[in-house]
Amino acid sequence: MPTPHYGQPRYRSIADELRKRIQNGSIPPGSLLPAESTLTAEFQASRGTVRQSIAVLREAGLVATEHGRGTYACLRPANGGSEESSKTETRQRQVTADAALAALFSVREGAALIEEESVVRRDGVTESVARTYRLLRKEECIGNRDR
Amino acid sequence: MPTPHYGQPRYRSIADELRKRIQNGSIPPGSLLPAESTLTAEFQASRGTVRQSIAVLREAGLVATEHGRGTYACLRPANGGSEESSKTETRQRQVTADAALAALFSVREGAALIEEESVVRRDGVTESVARTYRLLRKEECIGNRDR
DNA sequence: AGAAATTTGTCCGTATGTATC
DNA sequence: AGATACATACGGACAAATTTC
């Protein structure tokens, strides 16, 4: 069977359909979207195509995905009356890259990184801890090895 | 050979190589990149993988593609403060508090936290990695689980 | 103007490795 | 540890835009 498409890519049509369902409440905010396999069956599309459509919604900020769980419809921040009694403490230190960070920065494990840690407290209660990592020196990248 | 993608995925390596060629002038600005079929032969990779690597460069604003024509290396200003074309990827996952985080949040070690990781890339190169931790208990984030 | 070749766009099916619950 | 979902990679197929002959 040939592939009747074009005019509009399949993954975009599916993304449009899912967006409608989210916006009209058919998929309530905060709830799980149907599983990938379910969407595959419903739209008669391959997993790759379904995943592509979900990626569209994710970039649009409409959904968020958790490994091993599924994809949620986001609740948009209503952001009610938040007090302004929060304080931020920041400090810096030098650390060495663990495996995960080394992969992200494309450097070897143990390379020097700058870690900046910001602790946000509100009413004395820690609300969030942010750790930002940057390369200490540029051009610390690993050369490409032969394939 | 099957498909081991230890360390850096293949499409990123290819993207790195192509980026080098663009930035060192081997592929002059405004000129066409080799066709996908050519790159497929050169890198001994499937077309899908080659296209994925080109997509990386396209999102970085290094190249532009036209249907039926090909992919061009963009002429872009050698401007000093190129603050554009940086992109942030965000993902969330659930982690357990280590000793340091447990102390900051005044919870017991091993307590559940939400980690939000934002990776900022400019021209495909990782510039910073920020990890923000919050307590799971509130309705801060989307994934309120019933279990 | 028309046909063929080239090139990118989309889609399918599959396989396997990786991460999380 | 098993299930689920995600990430990477392969190969093949057809559609559509462009170029070339």
Side-chain angles (χ1 to χ4, degrees):
Chain A
M1 190 165 23
T3 349
H5 55 78
Y6 251 62
Q8 170 133 348
R10 196 83 190 288
Y11 71 91
R12 224 170 284 172
S13 302
I14 297 176
D16 285 342
E17 176 57 31
L18 292 177
R19 184 183 301 113
K20 280 180 195 167
R21 294 187 192 178
I22 291 173
Q23 288 172 343
N24 73 12
S26 172
I27 299 178
S31 72
L32 271 175
L33 267 67
E36 190 184 60
S37 55
T38 307
L39 296 174
T40 294
E42 172 179 347
F43 291 105
Q44 288 288 298
S46 73
R47 288 174 186 82
T49 301
V50 166
R51 284 175 48 71
Q52 212 172 346
S53 68
I54 291 178
V56 169
L57 300 179
R58 184 162 44 231
E59 280 184 45
L62 281 171
V63 303
T65 302
E66 293 289 337
H67 262 98
R69 278 250 181 241
T71 299
Y72 297 88
C74 283
L75 356 107
R76 281 321 186 98
N79 214 343
S82 54
E83 306 268 333
E84 290 296 329
S85 60
S86 66
K87 267 188 182 177
T88 305
E89 297 169 16
T90 303
R91 70 188 171 93
Q92 276 189 355
R93 60 175 174 149
Q94 183 173 334
V95 300
T96 57
D98 62 15
L101 287 172
L104 283 168
F105 282 105
S106 297
V107 298
R108 63 185 185 289
E109 204 169 329
L113 296 178
I114 291 290
E115 180 194 81
E116 182 179 301
E117 183 178 84
S118 295
V119 180
V120 178
R121 289 196 178 85
R122 189 195 304 273
D123 303 329
V125 178
T126 299
E127 208 162 62
S128 72
V129 176
R131 291 172 180 166
T132 304
Y133 301 89
R134 293 189 186 79
L135 282 178
L136 181 58
R137 290 175 290 274
K138 273 194 176 178
E139 302 308 330
E140 202 160 357
C141 298
I142 306 173
N144 251 350
R145 303 206 45 181
D146 258 7
R147 56 173 193 280
Chain B
M1 277 248 276
T3 9
H5 56 278
Y6 300 119
Q8 177 157 270
R10 200 103 162 6
Y11 71 91
R12 272 197 210 281
S13 300
I14 297 176
D16 285 343
E17 175 59 32
L18 292 177
R19 177 169 44 245
K20 280 179 193 166
R21 293 186 192 177
I22 291 173
Q23 289 174 342
N24 74 11
S26 172
I27 298 178
S31 71
L32 275 174
L33 268 67
E36 290 174 0
S37 56
T38 307
L39 296 175
T40 292
E42 174 180 346
F43 291 104
Q44 289 288 300
S46 73
R47 192 182 161 212
T49 302
V50 166
R51 284 176 56 77
Q52 210 172 347
S53 69
I54 291 178
V56 169
L57 302 179
R58 186 165 40 235
E59 286 182 40
L62 282 170
V63 302
T65 302
E66 291 181 30
H67 193 170
R69 298 205 71 183
T71 299
Y72 294 90
C74 286
L75 343 101
R76 40 171 220 149
N79 203 340
S82 68
E83 295 166 14
E84 299 293 326
S85 79
S86 76
K87 199 192 166 193
T88 305
E89 296 171 17
T90 303
R91 73 187 173 114
Q92 292 178 345
R93 56 177 173 155
Q94 186 173 336
V95 300
T96 56
D98 61 17
L101 288 172
L104 284 168
F105 281 103
S106 300
V107 297
R108 68 185 182 288
E109 200 170 334
L113 296 177
I114 289 291
E115 179 194 84
E116 183 176 301
E117 183 177 85
S118 295
V119 180
V120 178
R121 289 198 177 86
R122 167 150 38 209
D123 301 336
V125 178
T126 299
E127 213 162 59
S128 72
V129 177
R131 290 173 180 165
T132 304
Y133 301 88
R134 292 189 191 82
L135 286 176
L136 178 59
R137 54 180 170 83
K138 278 193 177 180
E139 70 286 351
E140 289 273 354
C141 298
I142 38 181
N144 254 355
R145 269 334 320 126
D146 47 303
R147 209 162 58 126

